[in-house]
C-alpha cells in the first residue's frame, strides 16, 4: 500500500506541495475525500485537501510561488483556509483545527489544533484518514479510527460519538446517506439510530446545502439506496413529504392499488441506468407525486388516479420553490415531463394511430426523447410477458415517431399559415375567428387530413373562413 501512496505523492502537484512543506519545515497531510477516493480506487478527484500543522496562509503563498502556472489564491481568514487553483485541480489548504459548536448553528468555533484534533472533528472514519506528505512521515497513513477497515467493509461510521457528530453539524446526516448511496455503503446501526434521534436538528441546515446532498443522492448510480435511508431515518418526511406520502397500499372491497413509493424508486433507478441528467432524474422522482391527491375508488373501475399528472405538475412548482431549486427552465422541464408522463403509455397501450403520435410530437417538442425515456423507465411490472409487450410497444412508438417526423417535420411546430396572414386574407383585424381557424388548421395537420405545408393549409383556411362568413380578399 505504501508503495502506491508514494507513487502518487511523487506526481504533481503533490511533489511540489511536499517540497514546499519541507522548505517551510512544517508538518502536513493529505486528507479528506481525495484520500478516501484514492483508497477506493475511484477516478482521481480534482479537489485536494491539505492540512498543515502551522499557517495555511504561509503555505499557500509559498506554494503559489513554487507551483508553476497556479492561478488565483483565495484566503478565508476566519477559517484559516486558503484555496489555490492549479491546472484542473483545486487545492484547499487548511490549518489543523479543533472545532466546537453552538446549538443553534452549524458554523463551528474554530481553534488551532493538532493532527489528532483535526481527525477527531471530521464527519466519518472514511473521511478522517490522513497521509503524511512531509519528510518526517512521507507516505505514512495515519488512521486512528480504523477507517481503512470501514472502507473495506463498506461502513459509514463517525469517529466520535455519533450523537455529537450529527448534532454538531446536522448536514452530516445527509452526507452519511449521500455517501451510502454514492458508494453503496451501509450506515453502521448506532450511527443510523443517532440520525433518527437527531432528524429535527435539520432545522439549522440551509435548503441549499440539503439540496446539494439530495442532488448527489439523485445522481448516484442507484439512488434508491439513498432514498430508502432517507425514508427509514424520517428525514424524507421532513424534506420531501410529497414523496413520503406515496408510501402504502390501500385496500377497498378487496381491491388494492400499486405501491407508489417503491414504484417511484424503481423508476428512478431505471432512468439512472440510461441517463446522467439530474433534471430527467428529478422528473422520474416526481412523476407520480400527484397520485395521493387524485386517488379515488369506484366499485366499477376500482382505484383511479385521474388527473394526477396535472396535479403533480402543479406540485413540481411548489416543491422547487420550497427547496429553492431553480425556478427557471429546469423547473418548467420537470413540470412538463410530469404533465405529459402518461401520454406515451396511453398511446402504446392503444392501437398506435398516426394522429396520436403527431399530437405527442407536437405537444412535447424538444422533450420528446426524454419523455419516451421516462415512460420506458416507468415500466416496472413484474409480469415478464407484459414487460416485454410494453417495451415492444414503445419500440413501435419510437419507430412511428421517426417515420412521421421525417415526413411531417412537426417538432416545435409552427403552423404554415400565421395569424397575420389570416387577417390579411380576410381583411379583418384581431378577432376570435383567427383563433378558431388556427386551431382547426392545427387539428387538420395533426389528424393527417392535410399536409404540414403551405398550399394545402391555405386552401383549408380559405374554406374555413368562408364557413365562418368571412369574405376572401382577392388581392
Ligand atoms: N467534512 C466534515 N463535515 C462536513 C463536511 C466535510 O467533517 N460537514 C470533512 C470531511 O473530512 C471531508 C472533508 O471535510 O472529507 C472535505 O469535505 P468535502 O470537500 O465537502 O467532501 P469530500 O469528503 O471531499 O467529498 P465530496 O467531494 O464527494 O463531497
Amino acid at each position: 500500500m505504501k508503495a502506491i501512496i508514494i507513487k502518487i505523492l511523487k506526481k504533481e502537484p503533490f511533489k511540489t506541495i511536499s517540497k514546499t512543506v519541507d522548505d517551510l519545515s512544517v508538518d502536513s497531510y493529505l486528507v479528506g475525500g481525495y484520500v478516501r477516493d484514492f483508497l477506493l480506487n475511484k477516478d482521481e478527484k480534482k479537489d485536494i485537501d491539505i492540512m498543515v500543522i502551522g499557517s495555511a496562509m504561509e503555505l499557500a503563498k509559498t506554494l503559489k510561488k513554487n507551483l508553476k502556472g497556479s492561478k488565483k489564491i483565495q484566503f478565508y481568514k476566519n477559517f484559516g483556509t486558503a484555496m489555490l487553483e492549479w491546472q484542473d485541480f483545486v487545492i484547499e489548504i487548511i490549518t489543523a483545527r479543533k472545532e466546537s459548536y453552538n446549538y443553534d448553528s452549524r458554523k463551528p468555533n474554530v481553534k488551532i489544533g493538532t493532527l489528532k484534533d483535526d481527525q477527531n472533528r471530521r464527519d466519518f472514519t472514511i473521511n478522517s484518514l490522513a497521509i503524511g506528505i512531509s519528510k518526517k512521515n512521507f507516505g505514512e497513513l495515519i488512521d486512528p479510527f480504523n477507517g481503512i477497515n470501514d472502507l473495506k467493509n463498506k461502513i459509514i461510521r463517525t469517529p466520535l460519538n455519533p450523537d455529537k457528530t450529527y448534532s454538531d453539524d446536522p448536514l452530516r446526516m445527509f452526507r452519511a446517506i449521500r455517501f451510502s448511496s454514492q458508494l453503496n455503503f451501509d450506515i453502521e446501526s448506532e450511527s443510523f439510530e443517532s440520525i433518527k434521534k437527531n432528524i429535527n436538528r435539520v432545522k439549522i441546515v440551509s435548503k441549499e446545502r440539503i439540496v446539494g446532498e439530495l442532488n448527489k443522492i439523485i445522481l448516484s448510480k442507484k439512488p434508491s439506496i439513498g432514498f430508502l435511508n432517507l425514508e427509514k431515518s424520517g428525514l424524507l418526511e421532513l424534506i420531501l413529504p410529497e414523496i413520503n406520502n406515496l408510501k402504502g397500499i390501500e385496500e377497498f372491497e378487496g381491491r388494492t392499488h400499486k405501491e407508489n413509493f417503491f414504484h417511484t424508486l424503481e423508476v428512478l433507478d431505471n432512468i439512472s441506468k440510461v441517463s446522467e441528467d439530474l433534471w430527467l432524474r428529478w422528473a422520474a422522482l416526481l412523476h407520480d407525486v400527484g397520485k395521493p391527491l387524485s386517488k379515488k375508488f369506484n366499485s366499477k373501475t376500482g382505484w383511479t388516479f385521474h388527473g394526477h399528472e396535472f396535479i403533480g405538475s402543479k406540485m413540481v412548482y411548489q416543491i422547487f420553490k420550497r427547496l429553492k431549486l431553480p425556478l427557471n427552465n429546469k423547473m418548467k422541464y420537470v413540470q412538463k415531463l410530469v404533465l405529459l408522463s402518461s401520454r406515451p403509455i396511453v398511446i402504446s397501450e392503444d392501437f398506435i394511430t398516426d394522429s396520436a403520435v403527431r399530437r405527442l410530437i407536437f405537444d412535447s417538442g424538444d422533450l420528446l426523447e426524454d419523455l419516451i425515456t421516462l415512460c420506458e423507465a416507468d415500466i416496472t411490472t413484474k409480469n415478464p410477458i407484459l414487460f416485454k409487450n410494453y417495451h415492444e410497444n414503445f419500440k413501435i412508438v419510437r419507430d412511428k415517431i421517426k417515420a412521421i417526423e421525417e415526413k411531417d417535420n412537426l417538432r416545435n411546430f409552427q403552423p404554415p399559415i400565421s395569424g397575420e396572414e389570416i387577417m390579411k386574407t380576410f381583411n379583418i383585424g384581431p378577432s376570435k375567428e383567427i383563433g378558431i381557424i388556427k386551431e382547426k388548421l392545427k387539428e387538420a395537420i395533426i389528424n393527417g387530413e392535410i399536409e404540414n405545408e403551405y398550399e394545402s393549409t391555405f386552401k383549408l383556411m380559405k374554406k374555413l373562413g368562408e364557413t365562418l362568413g368571412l369574405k376572401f380578399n382577392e388581392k
Side-chain angles (χ1 to χ4, degrees):
M1 159 96 77
K2 197 163 176 184
I4 317 171
I5 293 176
I6 288 179
K7 199 167 156 203
I8 225 357
L9 294 184
K10 292 250 162 101
K11 268 180 30 187
E12 291 296 11
F14 299 108
K15 199 172 149 195
T16 305
I17 299 174
S18 285
K19 189 184 168 301
T20 310
V21 162
D22 286 338
D23 288 351
L24 292 170
S25 303
V26 286
D27 197 5
S28 187
Y29 301 86
L30 173 60
V31 291
Y34 190 96
V35 179
R36 179 195 65 229
D37 284 3
F38 167 72
L39 293 170
L40 282 172
N41 274 325
K42 298 233 165 235
D43 289 345
E44 187 184 37
K45 248 171 104 79
K46 295 295 172 187
D47 295 333
I48 298 174
D49 292 312
I50 301 290
M51 182 235 294
V52 57
I53 320 286
S55 164
M57 310 293 152
E58 199 187 349
L59 175 54
K61 278 186 204 157
T62 321
L63 186 61
K64 169 127 179 56
K65 278 186 219 143
N66 292 352
L67 204 54
K68 299 286 168 259
S70 55
K71 280 169 245 158
K72 52 186 176 199
I73 190 165
Q74 270 170 305
F75 292 110
Y76 304 94
K77 233 178 171 174
N78 292 347
F79 294 108
T81 310
M83 215 173 72
L84 186 70
E85 288 179 31
W86 178 76
Q87 294 187 356
D88 50 351
F89 288 95
V90 177
I91 306 166
E92 199 164 323
I93 302 172
I94 184 163
T95 300
R97 56 156 89 162
K98 201 174 179 162
E99 289 178 345
S100 62
Y101 289 80
N102 298 332
Y103 191 72
D104 57 354
S105 164
R106 56 174 294 268
K107 229 177 176 175
N109 306 307
V110 174
K111 272 199 207 139
I112 290 178
T114 59
L115 163 67
K116 182 97 183 68
D117 291 330
D118 199 280
Q119 287 183 296
N120 281 343
R121 61 122 185 142
R122 291 186 180 263
D123 51 3
F124 307 115
T125 58
I126 59 167
N127 289 342
S128 302
L129 294 143
I131 291 176
I133 54 171
S134 29
K135 221 179 251 157
K136 117 173 186 209
N137 49 25
F138 189 76
E140 210 176 291
L141 186 69
I142 295 116
D143 179 18
F145 309 107
N146 218 346
I148 202 95
N149 240 20
D150 290 342
L151 280 178
K152 237 185 258 154
N153 299 325
K154 299 174 151 254
I155 302 278
I156 311 276
R157 189 165 59 93
T158 58
L160 305 178
N161 180 344
D163 282 341
K164 180 163 170 42
T165 305
Y166 293 125
S167 177
D168 274 355
D169 178 1
L171 179 71
R172 290 167 171 170
M173 301 189 286
F174 288 99
R175 282 175 60 91
I177 293 175
R178 182 258 286 195
F179 284 121
S180 78
S181 201
Q182 278 182 329
L183 304 173
N184 193 9
F185 275 32
D186 285 329
I187 300 171
E188 180 221 25
S189 61
E190 195 191 337
S191 213
F192 203 82
E193 287 310 307
S194 172
I195 293 180
K196 279 190 190 160
K197 240 192 291 174
N198 281 290
I199 52 171
N200 284 319
R201 298 280 294 135
V202 75
K203 284 195 289 283
I204 65 163
V205 186
S206 73
K207 293 271 165 51
E208 288 83 353
R209 296 307 297 264
I210 295 174
V211 165
E213 296 301 323
L214 205 52
N215 283 343
K216 286 182 182 171
I217 293 174
I218 294 175
L219 283 174
S220 55
K221 197 167 162 202
K222 197 173 175 205
S224 62
I225 300 174
F227 277 93
L228 288 171
N229 278 335
L230 285 175
E231 191 277 320
K232 261 198 278 172
S233 63
L235 283 169
L236 188 65
E237 196 173 353
L238 295 182
I239 55 152
L240 267 176
E242 297 86 352
I243 299 296
N244 203 60
N245 289 344
L246 294 172
K247 280 183 337 195
I249 301 176
E250 247 188 283
E251 184 176 332
F252 199 73
E253 294 178 359
R255 287 148 88 181
T256 54
H257 61 75
K258 185 159 72 181
E259 210 287 349
N260 286 305
F261 176 64
F262 291 106
H263 163 72
T264 292
L265 296 191
E266 222 182 315
V267 178
L268 181 57
D269 282 348
N270 283 347
I271 208 128
S272 304
K273 287 176 201 149
V274 292
S275 171
E276 295 288 328
D277 188 292
L278 175 65
W279 305 107
L280 182 53
R281 290 182 181 204
W282 264 102
L285 178 66
L286 300 180
H287 81 286
D288 271 350
V289 91
K291 279 197 168 166
L293 282 176
S294 65
K295 182 160 82 174
K296 289 207 171 57
F297 184 83
N298 175 310
S299 293
K300 264 197 210 135
T301 49
W303 292 100
T304 61
F305 299 91
H306 290 310
H308 79 84
E309 304 85 351
F310 182 71
I311 295 173
S313 72
K314 298 274 161 219
M315 290 168 75
V316 169
Y317 170 75
Q318 292 154 5
I319 292 169
F320 269 54
K321 189 155 185 256
R322 191 185 67 232
L323 293 179
K324 298 193 173 152
L325 280 156
L327 283 176
N328 53 14
N329 50 351
K330 304 294 180 209
M331 191 279 296
K332 293 203 178 110
Y333 166 88
V334 176
Q335 207 172 30
K336 195 166 172 187
L337 283 178
V338 171
L339 182 66
L340 295 173
S341 60
S342 301
R343 288 271 299 277
I345 301 166
V346 176
I347 294 178
S348 75
E349 278 170 350
D350 274 352
F351 174 71
I352 305 168
T353 64
D354 282 9
S355 59
V357 173
R358 271 199 207 96
R359 195 174 293 278
L360 183 68
I361 300 173
F362 175 77
D363 289 341
S364 55
D366 281 345
L367 271 55
L368 184 59
E369 263 86 38
D370 289 352
L371 180 62
I372 305 278
T373 306
L374 174 60
C375 290
E376 284 170 331
D378 202 1
I379 304 171
T380 61
T381 172
K382 299 292 165 283
N383 176 331
I385 298 171
L386 282 180
F387 184 87
K388 190 165 163 260
N389 284 351
Y390 289 151
H391 274 281
E392 272 168 8
N393 284 354
F394 272 111
K395 260 190 224 126
I396 302 176
V397 173
R398 280 187 189 274
D399 288 347
K400 277 230 154 168
I401 288 172
K402 212 169 149 219
I404 288 175
E405 279 225 299
E406 272 165 17
K407 195 161 70 95
D408 291 8
N409 185 26
L410 272 176
R411 193 82 60 110
N412 297 320
F413 175 77
Q414 288 296 330
I417 301 258
S418 67
E420 292 275 301
E421 185 156 5
I422 304 175
M423 287 199 262
K424 248 204 294 178
T425 312
F426 296 108
N427 208 5
I428 52 170
S431 56
K432 75 170 193 297
E433 281 79 5
I434 296 163
I436 298 172
I437 294 174
K438 276 181 83 174
E439 189 55 32
K440 294 217 159 150
L441 292 177
K442 183 185 108 184
E443 285 300 311
I445 292 171
I446 285 174
N447 291 329
E449 290 152 17
I450 57 169
E451 299 272 305
N452 183 19
E453 52 80 48
Y454 186 82
E455 287 289 303
S456 37
T457 315
F458 188 87
K459 232 162 102 191
L460 180 61
M461 171 194 67
K462 199 174 153 208
K463 207 164 118 202
L464 287 169
E466 278 162 0
T467 14
L468 285 170
L470 301 177
K471 211 165 158 299
F472 182 60
N473 185 4
E474 293 292 345
K475 275 184 279 168

